Amino acid sequence: MKILINDGIHPSGLEKLKAAGFEVDNIKIPQDELAEKLPEYAAICVRSATKVRSELIDLCPQLKAIGRGGVGLDNIDVEHARNKGIKVLNTPAASSRSVAELAFAHLLSISRFLYKSNRHMPKDGHDEFKALKKSYSKGFELKGKTIGIIGMGRIGREAAKIALGLDMKVLGVDPFVDKAEIKFEIATNHFSVSLPVVSMDEMLSQSDIISLHIPYTGAAVITESEFSKMKDGVILINASRGGTVNEKALLAALDKDKVAAAGIDVFENEPQPMVELIQHPNVSCTPHIGASTNEAQENIGTELADKIIAALKPA
């Protein structure tokens, strides 16, 4: 059976698939050519670039599995595929730590003005250096701050684990769980902390920092209404999915200092995000690289290969 790896995969996953006896094409077929070429494959592995919509699925009677290297499945018509007996697979656990660490990279950068001072450091000039030192000397520690985490799934729990390690108070929001169990493994010590899950309104009103770790379900979770309920000077971090935050409302909140700063890895209109947002002086931004670590990519490749192999094994 033939497998198309259309958006790339870590060599660890590629080797597993080949060792299992599959014919693997690790190539990039443009979106507009997939309708012609995908019907010859039994499975396709994608990331976020390739779209596998119902029209394409209907043209591929041999297709048995669609694998997504990553968490979100918004680029795949999941229900349509499953209704046709096609297995839809993803790797929700593989990149959790990497995404959570990026969220805190943004937060730490904001807390000490790293994203600003790095751009503004003078090439020379003692007076300029002293002026910058004064401008960026009002940072803050994360210890004792309250962080609201929207979404207490795998990534949200990893973010909570980091927050607890920094001696922060964590308020979780998740309509699907009543409490979140945070497990720690330090050397030979294993222990867990149980965090209560609160209402959205309670979290919005009490949090100094808010971080999103949820999928996009067709509508923004943070809109003008939610911004109005937040503390003045709140910090917003979004390393989840573009569209979960209404960007026009965020821009307005930044301009009014309702939001003191934002760390953003995902955008509504990728790969052409809103210019006013990414150039805002109080925005720390990255180009959707939450899962882009060596460790996460190896984990994704291995996990996805295992799931594809299991899905294509003869019954």
Side-chain angles (χ1 to χ4, degrees):
M1 281 188 283
K2 295 178 68 176
I3 299 172
L4 174 63
I5 310 294
N6 211 49
D7 293 335
I9 193 172
H10 191 275
S12 63
L14 199 60
E15 290 164 11
K16 272 202 163 193
L17 291 170
K18 290 180 178 178
F22 295 104
E23 182 182 344
V24 183
D25 287 343
N26 187 22
I27 58 175
K28 177 66 176 180
I29 296 177
Q31 186 74 46
D32 59 1
E33 296 179 18
L34 280 172
E36 177 187 351
K37 298 179 179 178
L38 186 58
E40 65 186 82
Y41 292 94
I44 180 173
C45 294
V46 302
R47 295 297 299 270
S48 56
T50 300
K51 308 294 186 291
V52 188
R53 300 299 183 202
S54 56
E55 297 84 359
L56 179 61
I57 292 168
D58 289 341
L59 294 172
C60 303
Q62 294 190 78
L63 199 61
K64 294 179 173 60
I66 302 168
R68 163 74 163 90
V71 180
L73 292 168
D74 42 290
N75 57 319
I76 301 168
D77 284 342
V78 177
E79 290 306 314
H80 187 78
R82 288 175 175 163
N83 287 339
K84 294 179 77 71
I86 299 168
K87 295 180 180 178
V88 181
L89 316 163
N90 64 343
T91 58
S95 59
S96 299
R97 183 69 187 193
S98 293
V99 176
E101 287 190 6
L102 180 68
F104 273 84
H106 277 292
L107 179 53
L108 287 162
S109 176
I110 288 168
S111 72
R112 298 304 298 272
F113 303 106
L114 304 187
Y115 69 110
K116 286 188 175 183
S117 60
N118 187 57
R119 292 197 297 258
H120 299 157
M121 281 290 288
K123 294 179 181 178
D124 49 49
H126 183 259
D127 290 340
E128 292 177 10
F129 187 93
K130 288 176 68 177
L132 284 176
K133 181 181 173 80
K134 184 176 181 180
S135 296
Y136 300 135
S137 294
K138 294 183 179 179
F140 60 88
E141 294 183 358
L142 297 183
K143 179 181 178 179
K145 300 296 187 296
T146 297
I147 182 169
I149 297 177
I150 303 177
M152 294 304 291
R154 293 177 179 87
I155 300 173
R157 292 197 300 272
E158 284 293 336
K161 187 184 295 186
I162 298 170
L164 291 170
L166 290 166
D167 207 3
M168 302 177 75
K169 179 181 178 181
V170 178
L171 297 177
V173 173
D174 195 311
F176 302 106
V177 297
D178 296 323
K179 61 181 180 178
E181 202 74 18
I182 311 300
K183 297 179 180 179
F184 290 86
E185 295 180 14
I186 303 173
T188 57
N189 297 316
H190 296 237
F191 60 95
S192 64
V193 176
S194 184
L195 294 176
V197 174
V198 303
S199 69
M200 177 71 87
D201 283 355
E202 182 178 347
M203 182 278 294
L204 291 172
S205 65
Q206 295 185 24
S207 296
D208 304 300
I209 299 128
I210 296 172
S211 187
L212 289 89
H213 300 288
I214 53 175
Y216 177 65
T217 57
V221 171
I222 301 296
T223 66
E224 185 178 355
S225 175
E226 283 70 35
F227 282 119
S228 70
K229 299 173 184 177
M230 296 177 189
K231 285 184 175 182
D232 291 341
V234 69
I235 291 167
L236 184 77
I237 307 293
N238 190 8
S240 60
R241 266 293 186 266
T244 53
V245 175
N246 183 301
E247 292 183 354
K248 289 182 179 179
L250 172 57
L251 190 61
L254 284 161
D255 288 340
K256 295 173 184 174
D257 295 326
K258 180 69 176 183
V259 174
I264 311 173
D265 183 52
V266 292
F267 302 88
E268 287 181 359
N269 190 33
E270 297 180 17
Q272 294 180 309
M274 185 192 297
V275 174
E276 297 91 339
L277 190 61
I278 62 173
Q279 291 184 352
H280 195 283
N282 294 327
V283 169
S284 169
C285 53
T286 45
H288 201 154
I289 57 168
S292 299
T293 63
N294 294 330
E295 294 84 354
Q297 291 307 305
E298 183 172 359
N299 291 340
I300 287 169
T302 302
E303 184 179 338
L304 189 57
D306 286 339
K307 288 185 173 182
I308 290 289
I309 291 166
L312 297 183
K313 275 183 180 179

